[in-house]
Amino acid sequence: MLNKALAAPEPDILYHYRFFIQDLYEQIQNESTDDIRFVYLGQTIKRTDLDSLQENMQTVDTIILPQFLFATTDQEHAMELARQLPLLSDETIPTVICLEIPEGFNCVRQQNETDKVLLTFNHMYRLTKVDKNLSMPMISVCMIKSDEQDAIQDILDITRKEVASLSTFVSIVKLMIANNQQISGEQFTQCAFDDETVKDNDDFQAAIALAAHLLAVSRRNQDNYQLALQDYLLSLKAFQRILPATSTELSSVHSNVGAMYFRLEDYPRSLEHFLKALEIQLQSTTPDLLAVSVYTKSLGTIYTRLRNYPAAINSFLRTIRVLEQLPDTHYRELMATYDELGDIYYVDQKVDEALASYVKAAEYQEKIIPRNPEGLGKSYHTIGNLYLKRARSKEALKYLKLALEYFQEVYPPNHASFALLNNNIGLMYYRENQYDEALQYYARALAVAAVSLPENHTLPGITMFNIALIYTAQEKFDEAIENLENSTKQFLKSLPEDAPDVVENQKYLETIRQKKILKDIFDGNITSFQE
């Protein structure tokens, strides 16, 4: 019955019987004796299992009995107990296990019945004999007291150190987490939280709060945000029993709760807890500026999801101001904040402000060590494309070429990114009337697209249209017409005939043909008409 109780996966039951278990442990420690050498257990076993033990003694001779063992020093008594046990099937037979106890090992004699002893659990035994020729089969084993047993203890000692804590309660929960028994750990912690007898015990409530926090972190690492939220909320409730509402220790707990609500896309509740975390810091006599910057940035992100762009901008600007006041450098945090600020400005159609924010983000990114060429390339590509949309070709060309340089550090020559990037650089050279340079980059874009993009991709069609613009400006109409026809063929691989790009191509193609006719007739000389 005791073995069943201790093995039951019911943490709430174990919690309620913790005093009994503790008393049992102390009794074993205080009343043990080392003068017993052989004890006997009355058991039942399947015939097939008994045969298997006998046949495999040479290869599988080591067993672990993971339970308390209530044995007797009287072999006849053990045999009688075995006969009284219910047989679960016709294949089950009574048997006796003879345990040889090494010198120096402690057992507990039962009071008033000196032949009955209690052995603690998780000891390793070696199978020495299986005798089926007796009136009742006997399985003889001897407890291992060797390097193998010491190795198990070494492993257990390592685990004990890993879960060590000032609180035994926290150590138990850490052990449950280490053994992937989070559900049991959560039941155990909730049961302790609900225990009215320890509600006013500050130390125990702190242990409950810490245990719930550890469970939440474990769930968070598993991406199980719903259960992580429940554990964080339990941690918050336990802390609130022993800390005033304005305690700075609560700000991080509110932040954790808010982060989980954010993950679950419950933005109003996430906002509520991050505001509470920030309020606690602002009212503190010793506020943590770095924590304030984290909370204001999180608020900015939440306001963004809620489409409250003015509030989001306000929060990000406050984050930047706080970070700039800190004695240590926080380039990564400043970069991320400026980047998010740029996104908000862009969505809010404030392109110039977005550009300024993206440029500042890139400046801080340049200061981060180790350098991230791919990240820098993407940042400069974004900036360059924004300048391209603003028709500021010189600035666009500067940043697009920077993007190209960084991408060349990390991408192979035929990476798909180079197709669009070379096309856009070519377009900027065209706007600056540098046609030869533009044609070089367009040629590179087509070469990369041929090996890295799907056959029906529209980018080659766009690049060939851009090439036609250059040849038109140079009055090379035959080359312009050829590229426009090829551009149209490329578009028709994936677009219908009435698609805007196809229609625009056809109109422009007709315009170029007319220009060619006029050039052929007048030979490019208007004075011949006057004569």
Side-chain angles (χ1 to χ4, degrees):
M1 190 171 159
L2 178 61
N3 280 324
K4 288 183 179 179
L6 292 174
E10 303 293 342
D12 53 337
I13 296 176
L14 293 177
Y15 177 80
H16 288 303
Y17 284 92
R18 64 192 184 280
F19 298 116
F20 168 74
I21 295 171
Q22 183 178 355
D23 184 65
L24 176 62
Y25 172 79
E26 292 174 353
Q27 180 182 349
I28 292 173
Q29 294 294 103
N30 296 330
E31 300 180 11
S32 59
T33 180
D34 62 356
D35 61 350
I36 299 174
R37 292 294 170 267
F38 291 93
V39 297
Y40 303 91
L41 298 173
Q43 296 286 306
T44 60
I45 190 171
K46 287 185 177 180
R47 296 179 189 273
T48 52
D49 292 339
L50 187 66
D51 294 339
S52 178
L53 283 174
Q54 189 173 38
E55 292 170 5
N56 298 297
M57 276 187 58
Q58 301 303 318
T59 55
V60 183
D61 65 340
T62 303
I63 58 175
I64 296 178
L65 300 178
Q67 57 188 6
F68 282 100
L69 299 177
F70 293 90
T72 175
T73 57
D74 185 340
Q75 181 178 337
E76 291 296 328
H77 186 201
M79 295 173 66
E80 183 61 29
L81 288 174
R83 292 189 185 96
Q84 295 174 5
L85 291 173
L87 302 179
L88 300 180
S89 70
D90 293 340
E91 285 295 310
T92 306
I93 58 173
T95 187
V96 171
I97 300 177
C98 174
L99 302 175
E100 182 180 351
I101 309 300
E103 185 177 352
F105 181 80
N106 291 328
C107 306
V108 178
R109 289 187 185 274
Q110 186 168 330
Q111 292 182 359
N112 303 322
E113 296 186 62
T114 57
D115 65 310
K116 294 183 179 180
V117 296
L118 172 66
L119 303 179
T120 54
F121 55 90
N122 271 3
H123 289 288
M124 182 181 287
Y125 297 84
R126 174 160 287 115
L127 185 63
T128 58
K129 186 178 180 181
V130 176
D131 195 338
K132 297 190 294 184
N133 297 320
L134 302 175
S135 60
M136 180 177 293
M138 180 174 291
I139 302 171
S140 299
V141 297
C142 64
M143 186 182 294
I144 293 175
K145 197 71 173 178
S146 65
D147 293 341
E148 294 174 84
Q149 185 73 27
D150 293 339
I152 291 178
Q153 292 303 320
D154 290 341
I155 294 173
L156 292 175
D157 288 341
I158 292 172
T159 303
R160 289 190 184 99
K161 290 178 182 178
E162 289 175 350
V163 302
S165 173
L166 294 176
S167 165
T168 303
F169 182 88
V170 175
S171 294
I172 293 172
V173 173
K174 289 173 71 174
L175 183 60
M176 290 177 173
I177 294 172
N179 286 283
N180 295 319
Q181 295 179 359
Q182 284 93 337
I183 293 177
S184 295
E186 286 159 346
Q187 292 174 344
F188 186 54
T189 307
Q190 182 67 55
C191 182
F193 179 81
D194 294 337
D195 186 352
E196 292 292 329
T197 64
V198 295
K199 189 174 182 180
D200 297 326
N201 186 325
D202 288 1
D203 290 339
F204 196 63
Q205 291 302 314
I208 293 171
L210 177 55
H213 173 82
L214 293 173
L215 288 162
V217 171
S218 176
R219 291 299 192 183
R220 187 174 187 169
N221 292 338
Q222 297 170 353
D223 296 334
N224 192 331
Y225 303 122
Q226 184 63 56
L227 290 180
L229 172 62
Q230 293 176 16
D231 292 332
Y232 276 133
L233 284 171
L234 183 60
S235 178
L236 176 61
K237 291 175 184 176
F239 272 129
Q240 286 174 330
R241 285 179 171 178
I242 58 176
L243 297 174
T246 57
S247 173
T248 53
E249 286 85 351
L250 289 179
S251 67
S252 62
V253 188
H254 280 291
S255 171
N256 288 329
V257 173
M260 292 305 97
Y261 275 125
F262 182 85
R263 289 282 192 175
L264 295 169
E265 299 182 3
D266 189 341
Y267 302 126
R269 288 186 181 176
S270 179
L271 179 66
E272 174 188 340
H273 283 278
F274 273 111
L275 284 172
K276 188 63 179 177
L278 178 60
E279 179 186 356
I280 290 172
Q281 287 294 335
L282 295 179
Q283 292 179 354
S284 172
T285 55
T286 56
D288 183 340
L289 293 185
L290 184 58
V292 170
S293 72
V294 171
Y295 303 154
T296 53
K297 184 177 182 297
S298 298
L299 286 168
T301 305
I302 297 168
Y303 282 128
T304 301
R305 295 293 192 278
L306 294 172
R307 300 183 184 278
N308 188 343
Y309 300 137
I313 291 171
N314 234 3
S315 294
F316 287 135
L317 290 174
R318 284 173 175 166
T319 302
I320 291 168
R321 290 175 63 186
V322 172
L323 287 170
E324 289 174 341
Q325 299 301 315
L326 294 174
D328 299 325
T329 55
H330 292 273
Y331 299 143
R332 195 177 302 278
E333 292 83 357
L334 283 163
M335 176 207 71
T337 307
Y338 269 116
D339 196 57
E340 284 201 61
L341 181 60
D343 291 342
I344 294 300
Y345 279 133
Y346 184 75
V347 171
D348 208 23
Q349 298 183 353
K350 298 177 179 179
V351 180
D352 289 337
E353 290 88 340
L355 272 168
S357 296
Y358 287 140
V359 170
K360 288 291 291 184
E363 289 176 0
Y364 281 112
Q365 192 173 10
E366 288 278 10
K367 298 177 181 180
I368 296 173
I369 296 179
R371 198 166 53 95
N372 180 4
E374 183 178 20
L376 284 163
K378 290 178 179 179
S379 295
Y380 287 132
H381 198 184
T382 298
I383 295 169
N385 286 337
L386 269 182
Y387 276 122
L388 184 154
K389 291 179 180 179
R390 299 292 281 176
R392 294 168 61 175
S393 54
K394 289 184 179 179
E395 294 94 333
L397 185 58
K398 170 188 172 182
Y399 287 105
L400 290 174
K401 293 191 78 171
L402 279 172
L404 182 62
E405 291 175 12
Y406 281 115
F407 281 156
Q408 286 172 337
E409 291 186 29
V410 292
Y411 292 156
N414 290 328
H415 193 276
S417 299
F418 291 127
L420 177 61
L421 193 50
N422 279 297
N423 175 81
N424 290 348
I425 292 174
L427 183 58
M428 293 305 95
Y429 273 120
Y430 164 74
R431 290 181 178 177
E432 291 295 304
N433 298 322
Q434 299 182 47
Y435 299 142
D436 291 342
E437 289 84 352
L439 287 171
Q440 290 178 15
Y441 281 95
Y442 285 145
R444 294 173 191 169
L446 289 175
V448 173
V451 297
S452 65
L453 296 178
E455 184 182 353
N456 63 346
H457 201 282
T458 57
L459 181 59
I462 295 171
T463 303
M464 287 184 279
F465 180 87
N466 291 339
I467 292 173
L469 293 176
I470 293 177
Y471 284 133
T472 300
Q474 294 176 332
E475 295 191 347
K476 297 179 180 180
F477 297 123
D478 289 331
E479 291 88 340
I481 290 171
E482 179 184 359
N483 277 278
L484 281 169
E485 289 174 343
N486 289 335
S487 172
T488 302
K489 291 177 183 177
Q490 185 65 28
F491 284 143
L492 289 173
K493 291 179 180 179
S494 59
L495 300 175
E497 292 185 359
D498 60 349
D501 286 335
V502 177
V503 173
E504 183 181 356
N505 263 28
Q506 296 290 2
K507 289 182 180 179
Y508 192 61
L509 179 60
E510 185 60 31
T511 299
I512 301 305
R513 285 173 176 162
Q514 292 175 3
K515 284 179 175 289
K516 181 180 182 305
I517 291 172
L518 292 176
K519 182 177 184 296
D520 291 343
I521 292 174
F522 290 96
D523 195 25
N525 188 354
I526 192 69
T527 58
S528 62
F529 179 76
Q530 295 174 340
E531 295 174 357

